[in-house]
Amino acid sequence: MEEKRKRMRELVEFLNRARRAYEQEDTEIISNYEYDRLYDELQSLEKELGTTLASSPTVNVGYEVLSELPKERHERPMLSLDKTKDVERLKEFLGGQKAMISWKLDGLTIVLTYREGELQKAVTRGNGEVGEVITNNAKVFQNLPCRIPYRGELVIRGEAVISYCDFEKINEEIEDVDARYKNPRNLCSGSVRQLNNQITAKRNVKFYAFTLVRAEGPDFHNSRLYQMKWLSEQGFDVVEHHPVTAGTIEEEVQWFARHIEENEIPSDGLVLVYDDIAYGESLGTTAKFPRDSFAFKWADEVRETTLLEIEWSPSRTGLINPVAIFDPVELEGTTVSRASVHNISIMEELELGVGDRIEVYKANMIIPQIARNLTRSGVKDIPEVCPVCGGKTQIHMENDTKTLYCTNPQCQAKHVKSFTLFVSRDAMNIEGLSEATLEKFILHGYIKDFTDIFHLDRYEEQIKNMEGFGEKSYINLQNSIENARNTTMPRLIYALGIPNVGAANAKVICRALNQDPQRILNATVEKLSEISGVGGVIAGTFVEYFADEGHRNVFLKLLDEVRIPKEESRTAEQIFSGMNFVITGSVNHFANRSEVKEEIEKRGGKVTGSVTSKTNYLINNDAASASSKNRKAKELGIPIISEDEFLELMEK
């Protein structure tokens, strides 16, 4: 009995630590599968011993939030839901009642209050008793109405989420996100709880209502389903939901299971709530769960396989993530052969070694994970050098989590952004090399410097067999690389990513140096500082860049790869000399705004991103637009001209 009590205390301590890491530190020290298994073990022990510790995760709904956001106590405690993986348990719960079944969204639960049709307050779930006030952030959620037709006091609950698609895009743009955000839920949590709502606005957070808490006046016909219809009419996006009974529950669960992979919104199960509001409320609650609703967690399809190797995958932050490669297995209708292990702590928890028999599953039926290690041979052979650059590695300990890092500041994996700039439209303009693809090519050793991009044909077969590639994709990529060989000196200089040297500066410098590679290589700070528009800072970083022997060599090698036609003497009259333009909106006569910019710069003008008192013209085909740039231009008395009017200016 004493051993069981000891085990219970160990589980409470470990599960609380795992939850703190996940909810507050946005990291993972244990898989979801393992957490659920240990949680169930703890529940069984508590039932057997008749003892529950005050700190047990089975009775504590959540943790006190840690941030500088204001706190507020909820009018009603927000309880967790009792859960099951057994459809028969749902049938038992339903009995003869009609209910509503919906996705259990995996984001951050928010409580909204509207008065007089206006959004007054938004508070996170927090620990169920006290949440954080995030009203300003909620006002920039992508789909949330700030005004609604209903004029009484309305209180609703819903989930703030970031789609898988937006998660991937945002992840690519945030330098330090690799080490912090493992899934859309963690990214959403960090986005919603920002102190600056400009950051929230850029993250494409969406809100889906799932419960109406209070609204005086309307007749909801004692129906949760009707409430959802009414909320939809008020302008809210509501969670996808269907009516269900004990007779249709199996069919409905199967429908959601079939559609989870195409669902762009993260979900970790289903929610069942009685349609009859009065009946549900009459049942009351337990200490932790409401009695009118139930959560259904997917019964994970688990397959046994053999771990073949641990692949160590470096990221741009220097973090090197372990990835388990195993004999392929069929899971949820697809073939799976790899799963992220996230960090060394999880490897040690699983005692994971090559050759072990492991069980794998798809978390939320989507993300491959290791459920259990059956043979537990132990962690060994953690690499002492980075698999990309060969630099020394170090094990870091952060928030009780062991992670592996590359210590080499010049590691190619850390400079993915520079390769991304090199292939971008205003630089070498190579289509088919997204940031994610570049990361893969760098990881596999196909790209070590810029010139390697022009010789990817060395790895033709490997690339064709990569996930997401094929014959057609490879041919398109090669065609794009060949087209990129025909370029200009300013494009090539901009592509190098010299600090402070943008596309416009590159054009000005190359023109002043007569497009001559030797003059570019050997330019002095004094010479560059004489060029109009090039200050001491730009001149300094330009000279410093080419003082590096490695940079000089790469530039000379690139000159052998590309074809730069001799630039005809362009004597376009400098009619825009000393003038500042701002371009906004779509264009009709040019391919894009960059071409308009080029024409302005060719004639001595300058293009800036914002309207100020120094702006001479704002180019916008929609002069009547209420955009911020138009408003600013009108305030300052700056002419707003159309593209046609700009063309007339060019011809004067």
Side-chain angles (χ1 to χ4, degrees):
M1 194 62 73
E2 189 53 42
E3 282 299 311
K4 289 183 178 179
R5 287 196 182 92
K6 183 182 175 187
R7 175 61 176 162
M8 181 178 71
R9 292 190 187 97
E10 286 173 355
L11 287 169
V12 167
E13 189 278 329
F14 181 74
L15 290 172
N16 282 338
R17 183 152 55 90
R19 191 168 60 176
R20 263 196 306 275
Y22 184 71
E23 293 179 355
Q24 295 177 7
E25 294 151 9
D26 292 333
T27 188
E28 294 178 35
I29 63 172
I30 188 174
S31 71
N32 287 341
Y33 185 96
E34 188 68 2
Y35 183 94
D36 286 346
R37 188 183 70 77
L38 296 177
Y39 185 96
D40 291 342
E41 182 187 348
L42 175 60
Q43 271 191 322
S44 296
L45 280 172
E46 288 174 342
K47 188 175 180 181
E48 182 183 344
L49 297 171
T51 304
T52 304
L53 299 176
S55 58
S56 171
T58 65
V59 291
N60 280 332
V61 177
Y63 283 96
E64 191 67 30
V65 287
L66 301 174
S67 82
E68 298 172 45
L69 291 165
K71 311 292 192 302
E72 183 169 299
R73 185 168 293 279
H74 293 299
E75 185 180 316
R76 296 188 202 172
M78 297 183 66
L79 303 176
S80 299
L81 297 180
D82 202 356
K83 63 181 184 292
T84 184
K85 294 184 178 182
D86 186 0
V87 176
E88 288 302 316
R89 179 69 186 91
L90 296 184
K91 281 186 186 177
E92 183 185 313
F93 168 78
L94 280 165
Q97 290 288 325
K98 180 182 175 184
M100 181 178 83
I101 189 169
S102 63
W103 294 114
K104 184 175 181 292
L105 300 182
D106 194 16
L108 198 67
T109 301
I110 309 289
V111 185
L112 302 178
T113 302
Y114 286 76
R115 296 189 187 99
E116 299 298 326
E118 303 274 344
L119 176 63
Q120 295 294 315
K121 189 169 56 182
V123 184
T124 67
R125 179 181 187 278
N127 67 356
E129 298 280 347
V130 177
E132 298 165 304
V133 180
I134 49 108
T135 311
N136 285 339
N137 294 345
K139 287 178 178 177
V140 296
F141 288 175
Q142 206 173 45
N143 65 336
L144 186 70
C146 286
R147 289 189 182 87
I148 59 173
Y150 177 66
R151 289 293 177 264
E153 183 174 75
L154 170 67
V155 181
I156 64 172
R157 293 174 184 169
E159 200 83 352
V161 294
I162 289 177
S163 71
Y164 287 113
C165 180
D166 284 327
F167 167 69
E168 288 168 7
K169 287 179 187 172
I170 294 164
N171 235 2
E172 287 179 5
E173 295 168 4
I174 301 171
E175 284 291 339
D176 62 352
V177 82
D178 303 82
R180 297 185 184 173
Y181 300 118
K182 305 298 182 190
N183 51 52
R185 182 218 175 265
N186 285 356
L187 178 56
C188 184
S189 176
S191 301
V192 168
R193 297 162 64 223
Q194 289 289 329
L195 297 178
N196 178 356
N197 71 351
Q198 284 186 327
I199 298 171
T200 307
K202 293 175 184 175
R203 301 284 178 86
N204 293 339
V205 180
K206 291 185 178 177
F207 176 86
Y208 290 89
F210 58 67
T211 298
L212 191 155
V213 179
R214 186 174 65 254
E216 298 296 331
D219 180 3
F220 297 120
H221 309 289
N222 193 36
S223 167
R224 293 281 183 199
L225 288 159
Y226 188 89
Q227 282 183 336
M228 298 296 274
K229 179 175 179 288
W230 184 83
L231 284 173
S232 183
E233 289 168 354
Q234 295 298 311
F236 295 99
D237 283 340
V238 298
V239 64
E240 184 169 10
H241 58 282
H242 302 170
V244 68
T245 64
T248 61
I249 184 65
E250 286 189 52
E251 181 186 332
E252 285 296 337
V253 168
Q254 286 170 8
W255 185 92
F256 280 98
R258 286 196 304 273
H259 288 79
I260 192 166
E261 284 209 33
E262 63 197 50
N263 190 20
E264 259 302 304
I265 304 164
S267 164
D268 58 355
L270 304 172
V271 173
L272 201 61
V273 59
Y274 292 131
D275 183 50
D276 187 322
I277 299 169
Y279 173 73
E281 289 179 348
S282 73
L283 299 175
T285 68
T286 68
K288 189 178 179 184
F289 306 124
R291 289 193 171 99
D292 70 340
S293 44
F294 227 102
F296 176 78
K297 301 281 281 185
W298 303 111
D300 302 302
E301 186 179 358
V302 178
R303 291 282 181 271
E304 188 177 322
T305 183
T306 300
L307 181 66
L308 301 177
E309 64 170 305
I310 296 290
E311 180 183 278
W312 294 87
S313 175
S315 72
R316 70 187 68 126
T317 62
L319 179 68
I320 306 176
N321 292 305
V323 179
I325 311 298
F326 43 81
D327 276 332
V329 290
E330 286 289 318
L331 278 176
E332 313 292 353
T334 60
T335 303
V336 178
S337 60
R338 53 194 293 126
S340 175
V341 191
H342 299 309
N343 53 56
I344 296 172
S345 290
I346 290 180
M347 287 183 67
E348 290 178 343
E349 179 68 28
L350 291 166
E351 297 181 67
L352 202 58
V354 172
D356 280 342
R357 292 296 290 172
I358 59 174
E359 289 182 341
V360 294
Y361 74 109
K362 279 188 179 180
N364 300 340
M365 298 178 72
I366 293 177
I367 304 164
Q369 299 279 314
I370 296 176
R372 281 200 303 161
N373 184 2
L374 303 176
T375 48
R376 305 180 80 87
S377 66
V379 176
K380 46 192 175 287
D381 301 328
I382 294 172
E384 295 181 358
V385 297
C386 171
V388 166
C389 70
K392 284 189 176 181
T393 61
Q394 269 184 3
I395 294 176
H396 290 191
M397 192 73 168
E398 296 174 12
N399 300 322
D400 294 329
T401 303
K402 283 186 186 177
T403 51
L404 189 68
Y405 278 86
C406 171
T407 61
N408 175 17
Q410 300 306 315
C411 179
Q412 293 95 326
K414 294 181 182 179
H415 297 282
V416 163
K417 287 289 183 190
S418 64
F419 288 98
T420 305
L421 171 65
F422 184 83
V423 303
S424 67
R425 188 175 64 183
D426 290 339
M428 299 307 291
N429 194 22
I430 301 175
E431 293 181 4
L433 283 179
S434 67
E435 194 163 318
T437 300
L438 284 166
E439 281 187 295
K440 288 179 186 175
F441 286 0
I442 290 167
L443 175 62
H444 286 88
Y446 305 162
I447 296 175
K448 293 183 174 64
D449 66 38
F450 294 140
T451 61
D452 292 328
I453 291 172
F454 294 98
H455 298 285
L456 286 171
D457 54 335
R458 297 167 182 160
Y459 308 101
E460 178 178 351
E461 289 309 311
Q462 294 98 313
I463 291 172
K464 284 180 181 177
N465 290 314
M466 283 176 69
E467 187 178 348
F469 264 84
E471 182 80 28
K472 187 175 179 182
S473 299
Y474 175 79
I475 291 170
N476 289 341
L477 174 59
Q478 283 303 314
N479 289 340
S480 186
I481 290 170
E482 282 308 306
N483 291 337
R485 290 184 185 275
N486 297 307
T487 190
T488 65
M489 187 63 76
R491 277 181 173 272
L492 184 61
I493 293 298
Y494 172 60
L496 295 174
I498 302 169
N500 303 310
V501 178
N505 303 129
K507 288 173 186 172
V508 169
I509 291 170
C510 289
R511 193 176 297 138
L513 299 178
N514 203 30
Q515 322 289 331
D516 184 339
Q518 286 306 315
R519 290 181 68 183
I520 288 168
L521 278 171
N522 301 306
T524 63
V525 171
E526 292 74 24
K527 175 65 180 173
L528 293 170
S529 297
E530 292 171 4
I531 302 169
S532 176
V534 178
V537 173
I538 293 172
T541 54
F542 192 93
V543 170
E544 186 181 339
Y545 181 88
F546 284 112
D548 183 285
E549 198 61 36
H551 291 158
R552 294 172 72 90
N553 289 338
V554 169
F555 178 62
L556 291 170
K557 283 165 66 181
L558 281 170
L559 290 173
D560 291 335
E561 300 292 347
V562 300
R563 296 180 284 271
I564 299 176
K566 274 225 162 181
E567 195 167 88
E568 294 176 19
S569 178
R570 290 192 295 180
T571 56
E573 192 179 345
Q574 302 293 285
I575 57 173
F576 296 149
S577 180
M579 295 171 67
N580 295 311
F581 291 79
V582 174
I583 312 163
T584 190
S586 58
V587 292
N588 304 318
H589 299 292
F590 296 87
N592 49 52
R593 292 200 296 265
S594 294
E595 284 195 3
V596 184
K597 182 181 176 186
E598 195 169 324
E599 291 300 326
I600 291 169
E601 290 169 348
K602 195 191 298 182
R603 290 162 175 76
K606 187 177 178 183
V607 177
T608 62
S610 55
V611 176
T612 69
S613 58
K614 294 182 180 179
T615 304
N616 295 95
Y617 291 100
L618 170 62
I619 301 172
N620 187 355
N621 282 323
D622 185 4
S625 162
S627 70
S628 58
K629 286 188 173 71
N630 273 22
R631 287 200 306 273
K632 189 71 175 174
K634 287 171 183 173
E635 284 172 21
L636 297 172
I638 292 160
I640 303 172
I641 61 172
S642 67
E643 204 177 341
D644 289 330
E645 289 170 313
F646 169 69
L647 290 170
E648 288 174 16
L649 272 181
M650 282 174 55
E651 291 167 7
K652 285 184 179 178

